[in-house]
Amino acid sequence: QVQLVESGGGLVQAGGSLRLSCAASGSIFSINDMGWYRQVPGNQRELVARIGVGGTNYADSVKGRFTISRDNAKKTVSLQMNSLKPEDTAVYYCYADRVFAGTPGQAPRFFDVWGQGTLVTVSS
């Protein structure tokens, strides 16, 4: 089974920084885009940043403050978050788009995979 495991969340003061990391595991042959989404109570899950062959994409609210990066060899994606604001407080989810992976007893197929989420809290 393909899994994404996030790490790096925590509590920081406004203006501080955090770095989130996400590692993909499983019998993975390829991954297209990877990204980070976030969700707060009462809101829809929203795109924070995405990275693929075509480049990167950021939510307007984080442009200039967050940077997404990827290590294909390690099958990881990271999100460097600087100048954090209280409104950045959310559960952050790692996402992998069109993961081509094998499962026991079955031919490889495509998966869209979400991590369990990691909580980022920014205090004012």
Side-chain angles (χ1 to χ4, degrees), residues 51-120:
I51 183 168
V53 174
T56 57
N57 181 245
Y58 295 92
D60 288 341
S61 60
V62 307
K63 286 181 179 177
R65 300 188 297 119
F66 291 10
T67 303
I68 189 169
S69 60
R70 180 175 179 177
D71 188 327
N72 291 330
K74 296 180 179 179
K75 297 183 177 64
T76 60
V77 63
S78 297
L79 185 69
Q80 179 65 45
M81 304 185 293
N82 298 325
S83 302
L84 283 161
K85 304 174 180 179
E87 51 262 44
D88 294 318
T89 296
V91 176
Y92 284 70
Y93 296 90
C94 181
Y95 172 72
D97 176 71
R98 286 183 64 82
V99 182
F100 190 60
T103 57
Q106 294 181 268
R109 65 180 183 90
F110 289 101
F111 300 84
D112 290 343
V113 188
W114 291 92
Q116 293 296 304
T118 185
L119 177 63
V120 172

